[in-house]
Short mmCIF file of all heavy atoms in Angstrom, two decimals:
data_model
loop_
_atom_site.label_atom_id
_atom_site.label_comp_id
_atom_site.label_asym_id
_atom_site.label_seq_id
_atom_site.Cartn_x
_atom_site.Cartn_y
_atom_site.Cartn_z
N SER Q 1 -1.26 -3.96 -2.07
CA SER Q 1 -0.96 -4.74 -3.28
C SER Q 1 -0.70 -3.84 -4.48
O SER Q 1 0.06 -4.21 -5.38
CB SER Q 1 -2.12 -5.69 -3.59
OG SER Q 1 -3.33 -4.97 -3.77
N ALA Q 2 -1.30 -2.65 -4.50
CA ALA Q 2 -1.10 -1.70 -5.58
C ALA Q 2 0.05 -0.75 -5.30
O ALA Q 2 0.73 -0.28 -6.21
CB ALA Q 2 -2.38 -0.90 -5.83
N ALA Q 3 0.29 -0.45 -4.01
CA ALA Q 3 1.26 0.57 -3.64
C ALA Q 3 2.68 0.04 -3.46
O ALA Q 3 3.65 0.62 -3.96
CB ALA Q 3 0.81 1.28 -2.37
N ASP Q 4 2.82 -1.08 -2.75
CA ASP Q 4 4.16 -1.54 -2.36
C ASP Q 4 5.08 -1.82 -3.55
O ASP Q 4 6.28 -1.51 -3.48
CB ASP Q 4 4.05 -2.78 -1.47
CG ASP Q 4 3.50 -2.45 -0.09
OD1 ASP Q 4 3.18 -1.26 0.16
OD2 ASP Q 4 3.37 -3.37 0.75
N PRO Q 5 4.60 -2.38 -4.67
CA PRO Q 5 5.50 -2.59 -5.81
C PRO Q 5 6.04 -1.30 -6.41
O PRO Q 5 7.04 -1.33 -7.15
CB PRO Q 5 4.62 -3.34 -6.82
CG PRO Q 5 3.57 -4.00 -5.98
CD PRO Q 5 3.29 -3.03 -4.89
N LEU Q 6 5.42 -0.16 -6.11
CA LEU Q 6 5.86 1.11 -6.69
C LEU Q 6 7.18 1.58 -6.08
O LEU Q 6 7.86 2.41 -6.66
CB LEU Q 6 4.80 2.18 -6.47
CG LEU Q 6 3.40 1.90 -7.04
CD1 LEU Q 6 2.45 3.04 -6.70
CD2 LEU Q 6 3.46 1.69 -8.55
N VAL Q 7 7.51 1.07 -4.90
CA VAL Q 7 8.72 1.52 -4.21
C VAL Q 7 9.95 1.37 -5.09
O VAL Q 7 10.81 2.25 -5.15
CB VAL Q 7 8.90 0.75 -2.89
CG1 VAL Q 7 10.24 1.09 -2.24
CG2 VAL Q 7 7.76 1.06 -1.93
N ASP Q 8 10.04 0.26 -5.79
CA ASP Q 8 11.21 0.00 -6.64
C ASP Q 8 11.00 0.35 -8.10
O ASP Q 8 11.97 0.58 -8.83
CB ASP Q 8 11.60 -1.49 -6.54
CG ASP Q 8 12.02 -1.88 -5.14
OD1 ASP Q 8 12.67 -1.06 -4.46
OD2 ASP Q 8 11.67 -3.00 -4.71
N SER Q 9 9.72 0.42 -8.53
CA SER Q 9 9.47 0.59 -9.97
C SER Q 9 9.14 2.02 -10.38
O SER Q 9 9.24 2.35 -11.56
CB SER Q 9 8.32 -0.32 -10.40
OG SER Q 9 7.11 0.05 -9.75
N GLN Q 10 8.74 2.87 -9.44
CA GLN Q 10 8.32 4.22 -9.78
C GLN Q 10 9.13 5.26 -9.00
O GLN Q 10 9.10 5.25 -7.77
CB GLN Q 10 6.83 4.41 -9.49
CG GLN Q 10 5.93 3.48 -10.27
CD GLN Q 10 5.97 3.73 -11.77
OE1 GLN Q 10 6.06 4.88 -12.21
NE2 GLN Q 10 5.91 2.67 -12.55
N LYS Q 11 9.82 6.13 -9.70
CA LYS Q 11 10.66 7.13 -9.04
C LYS Q 11 9.94 8.45 -8.80
O LYS Q 11 10.44 9.32 -8.09
CB LYS Q 11 11.92 7.38 -9.88
CG LYS Q 11 12.74 6.13 -10.16
CD LYS Q 11 13.11 5.40 -8.87
CE LYS Q 11 13.93 4.13 -9.16
NZ LYS Q 11 14.21 3.36 -7.93
N LEU Q 12 8.76 8.61 -9.39
CA LEU Q 12 8.04 9.88 -9.27
C LEU Q 12 7.09 9.91 -8.08
O LEU Q 12 6.52 10.96 -7.78
CB LEU Q 12 7.26 10.18 -10.56
CG LEU Q 12 8.10 10.43 -11.81
CD1 LEU Q 12 7.20 10.67 -13.01
CD2 LEU Q 12 9.04 11.61 -11.61
N VAL Q 13 6.93 8.78 -7.41
CA VAL Q 13 6.05 8.74 -6.24
C VAL Q 13 6.79 8.13 -5.06
O VAL Q 13 7.76 7.39 -5.23
CB VAL Q 13 4.75 7.95 -6.51
CG1 VAL Q 13 3.93 8.60 -7.61
CG2 VAL Q 13 5.06 6.50 -6.84
N ALA Q 14 6.30 8.45 -3.86
CA ALA Q 14 6.82 7.86 -2.63
C ALA Q 14 5.67 7.19 -1.89
O ALA Q 14 4.52 7.63 -2.00
CB ALA Q 14 7.47 8.92 -1.76
N ILE Q 15 5.98 6.17 -1.13
CA ILE Q 15 4.97 5.38 -0.42
C ILE Q 15 5.26 5.44 1.08
O ILE Q 15 6.42 5.27 1.50
CB ILE Q 15 4.99 3.90 -0.85
CG1 ILE Q 15 5.11 3.78 -2.39
CG2 ILE Q 15 3.78 3.17 -0.32
CD1 ILE Q 15 3.96 4.37 -3.14
N ARG Q 16 4.23 5.67 1.87
CA ARG Q 16 4.39 5.64 3.33
C ARG Q 16 3.22 4.87 3.95
O ARG Q 16 2.07 4.98 3.48
CB ARG Q 16 4.44 7.06 3.90
CG ARG Q 16 5.69 7.84 3.56
CD ARG Q 16 6.93 7.21 4.20
NE ARG Q 16 8.15 7.95 3.90
CZ ARG Q 16 8.92 7.74 2.83
NH1 ARG Q 16 8.56 6.80 1.95
NH2 ARG Q 16 10.01 8.44 2.63
N PRO Q 17 3.50 4.12 5.01
CA PRO Q 17 2.41 3.43 5.71
C PRO Q 17 1.65 4.39 6.60
O PRO Q 17 2.10 5.52 6.86
CB PRO Q 17 3.16 2.39 6.56
CG PRO Q 17 4.48 3.04 6.84
CD PRO Q 17 4.82 3.83 5.60
N PHE Q 18 0.50 3.95 7.08
CA PHE Q 18 -0.25 4.71 8.07
C PHE Q 18 0.26 4.35 9.46
O PHE Q 18 0.70 3.22 9.71
CB PHE Q 18 -1.74 4.39 7.98
CG PHE Q 18 -2.45 5.13 6.89
CD1 PHE Q 18 -2.69 4.51 5.66
CD2 PHE Q 18 -2.91 6.42 7.08
CE1 PHE Q 18 -3.36 5.19 4.66
CE2 PHE Q 18 -3.57 7.10 6.07
CZ PHE Q 18 -3.81 6.48 4.86
N ALA Q 19 0.17 5.31 10.36
CA ALA Q 19 0.45 5.03 11.76
C ALA Q 19 -0.67 4.17 12.33
O ALA Q 19 -1.80 4.19 11.86
CB ALA Q 19 0.57 6.34 12.54
N ALA Q 20 -0.34 3.41 13.36
CA ALA Q 20 -1.35 2.55 14.00
C ALA Q 20 -2.43 3.40 14.67
O ALA Q 20 -2.13 4.48 15.20
CB ALA Q 20 -0.66 1.65 15.03
N PRO Q 21 -3.67 2.95 14.60
CA PRO Q 21 -4.15 1.74 13.91
C PRO Q 21 -4.31 2.01 12.41
O PRO Q 21 -5.06 2.91 12.02
CB PRO Q 21 -5.50 1.48 14.58
CG PRO Q 21 -5.99 2.84 14.99
CD PRO Q 21 -4.77 3.65 15.33
N GLU Q 22 -3.61 1.26 11.61
CA GLU Q 22 -3.65 1.52 10.17
C GLU Q 22 -4.95 1.00 9.57
O GLU Q 22 -5.43 -0.07 9.95
CB GLU Q 22 -2.45 0.88 9.47
CG GLU Q 22 -2.36 -0.62 9.61
CD GLU Q 22 -1.14 -1.18 8.92
OE1 GLU Q 22 -0.40 -0.42 8.26
OE2 GLU Q 22 -0.90 -2.40 9.04
N PRO Q 23 -5.53 1.75 8.62
CA PRO Q 23 -6.75 1.28 7.97
C PRO Q 23 -6.44 0.09 7.05
O PRO Q 23 -5.37 0.02 6.44
CB PRO Q 23 -7.21 2.49 7.16
CG PRO Q 23 -5.98 3.31 6.95
CD PRO Q 23 -5.12 3.09 8.16
N THR Q 24 -7.37 -0.84 6.98
CA THR Q 24 -7.21 -2.03 6.14
C THR Q 24 -8.53 -2.36 5.47
O THR Q 24 -9.57 -1.81 5.81
CB THR Q 24 -6.78 -3.26 6.97
OG1 THR Q 24 -7.82 -3.57 7.91
CG2 THR Q 24 -5.48 -3.00 7.72
N ARG Q 25 -8.47 -3.27 4.54
CA ARG Q 25 -9.69 -3.86 3.99
C ARG Q 25 -9.57 -5.38 4.09
O ARG Q 25 -8.46 -5.93 4.05
CB ARG Q 25 -9.93 -3.44 2.54
CG ARG Q 25 -8.94 -3.99 1.52
CD ARG Q 25 -9.35 -3.63 0.11
NE ARG Q 25 -8.36 -4.05 -0.88
CZ ARG Q 25 -8.48 -3.84 -2.19
NH1 ARG Q 25 -9.55 -3.20 -2.67
NH2 ARG Q 25 -7.55 -4.25 -3.03
N ARG Q 26 -10.70 -6.05 4.24
CA ARG Q 26 -10.73 -7.50 4.31
C ARG Q 26 -11.30 -8.04 3.01
O ARG Q 26 -12.41 -7.68 2.62
CB ARG Q 26 -11.56 -7.97 5.51
CG ARG Q 26 -11.72 -9.48 5.60
CD ARG Q 26 -12.08 -9.94 7.00
NE ARG Q 26 -10.92 -9.82 7.90
CZ ARG Q 26 -10.90 -10.30 9.14
NH1 ARG Q 26 -11.96 -10.91 9.64
NH2 ARG Q 26 -9.81 -10.16 9.89
N VAL Q 27 -10.52 -8.86 2.35
CA VAL Q 27 -10.91 -9.42 1.05
C VAL Q 27 -11.45 -10.83 1.26
O VAL Q 27 -10.91 -11.61 2.04
CB VAL Q 27 -9.72 -9.42 0.07
CG1 VAL Q 27 -10.07 -10.14 -1.23
CG2 VAL Q 27 -9.28 -7.98 -0.21
N ALA Q 28 -12.53 -11.14 0.55
CA ALA Q 28 -13.20 -12.43 0.72
C ALA Q 28 -13.59 -13.00 -0.64
O ALA Q 28 -13.58 -12.31 -1.66
CB ALA Q 28 -14.45 -12.26 1.59
N ILE Q 29 -13.93 -14.28 -0.63
CA ILE Q 29 -14.55 -14.90 -1.79
C ILE Q 29 -16.02 -15.16 -1.45
O ILE Q 29 -16.37 -15.40 -0.30
CB ILE Q 29 -13.84 -16.21 -2.20
CG1 ILE Q 29 -13.64 -17.14 -1.00
CG2 ILE Q 29 -12.52 -15.91 -2.86
CD1 ILE Q 29 -12.96 -18.45 -1.36
N ALA Q 30 -16.87 -15.06 -2.46
CA ALA Q 30 -18.31 -15.22 -2.26
C ALA Q 30 -18.86 -16.15 -3.33
O ALA Q 30 -18.43 -16.11 -4.49
CB ALA Q 30 -19.01 -13.86 -2.33
#
């Protein structure tokens, strides 16, 4: 959510995914 929008908006950084199995986080409501 923080990284993907940078692909089009920021020219000074590059974004790459992780190879499988990619690390993730699970977001919840409490």
Side-chain angles (χ1 to χ4, degrees):
S1 58
D4 289 2
L6 302 178
V7 173
D8 297 323
S9 64
Q10 299 295 323
K11 303 306 180 184
L12 294 179
V13 298
I15 316 298
R16 290 295 181 271
F18 279 98
E22 60 181 356
T24 63
R25 68 174 175 181
R26 176 159 288 188
V27 174
I29 49 179

